[in-house]
Amino acid sequence: MSAPNARENLFASAAVLLQRFGYARVSIRDITSSVGIPKGTFYNHFRSKEDLASAILSQHFNALLETLAQGGPETAGARLRRHFESIAPSTQEPRSSPLQVISTLAAEGPALPSALSLQIAEGIRLWSNKVAALISLAQSEGQIDAQENPDLLAALFINCWQGAVIRSKCDPAARSDCLLFALDRVLGGAPA
């Protein structure tokens, strides 16, 4: 296996394992065994499991923020709805949802190395700030009641998303439409 391929395979395998089992239950040996390479090869690509987890989190937060920033001719309210509908647990394949890694690791917060906990907190704070800015824009466009607090609405949407993701890991049949319900309440119902 070529070096870049080994790195990509380690990265992808670790993301799946961390999503499914969490940080504490996944070892470097688990990751390397899942892609069929010797454990020592891991250190040619990453300094530690924490380094790998940090790289995964960075990639997933960057992708999340990028999807939120994608604009175009649609209104701010439509962008907000599109963003959250695209990441709702009901629209994600359980095996391939990179955002579930964020949620899984966030749920482990106190047990994580402090640098990872801080990275998750900062990533969610940045995401929340960007969602709040989009809500403010939707308020200025008249799509969301200007009396609503954008920061609280952003927290509501993100907390609904995170709760639904965590619950769907334990019970895939669980209703996870509270986020969509909240979007409908704030934006006035699903678009036609």
Side-chain angles (χ1 to χ4, degrees), residues 21 35 58 74 87 94 98 103 120 131 140 145 148 181 189:
F21 300 110
V35 293
S58 291
E74 64 189 343
I87 63 171
S103 186
I120 292 167
V131 169
S140 71
D145 184 349
E148 300 292 344
F181 176 79

Side-chain angles (χ1 to χ4, degrees), residues 9-85:
N9 289 339
L10 287 166
F11 194 94
S13 175
V16 169
L17 291 170
L18 291 172
Q19 174 184 310
R20 184 163 182 208
F21 300 110
Y23 185 84
R25 291 190 52 212
V26 174
S27 68
I28 292 172
R29 184 170 308 283
D30 294 331
I31 297 165
T32 57
S33 294
S34 70
V35 293
I37 64 170
K39 183 178 175 185
T41 304
F42 176 90
Y43 297 101
N44 293 336
H45 305 284
F46 301 99
R47 290 183 311 247
S48 64
K49 180 174 80 167
E50 182 178 343
D51 181 47
L52 173 56
S54 178
I56 290 167
L57 285 168
S58 291
Q59 182 187 59
H60 294 332
F61 274 119
N62 288 341
L64 176 67
L65 295 175
E66 193 174 293
T67 64
L68 187 59
Q70 293 172 350
E74 64 189 343
T75 65
R79 282 178 47 208
L80 183 68
R81 181 181 296 281
R82 178 184 42 80
H83 173 70
F84 280 105
E85 285 179 348

Side-chain angles (χ1 to χ4, degrees), residues 129-183:
N129 290 342
K130 292 200 179 278
V131 169
L134 190 56
I135 290 168
S136 291
L137 182 58
Q139 287 175 317
S140 71
E141 293 174 356
Q143 298 154 352
I144 295 177
D145 184 349
Q147 301 286 335
E148 300 292 344
N149 181 316
D151 295 320
L152 288 177
L153 284 178
L156 171 69
F157 294 144
I158 291 169
N159 291 345
C160 283
W161 168 80
Q162 188 170 17
V165 169
I166 291 170
R167 186 164 178 212
S168 70
K169 287 178 62 75
C170 297
D171 181 6
R175 291 185 57 156
S176 60
D177 50 3
C178 63
L179 172 60
L180 303 178
F181 176 79
L183 286 168

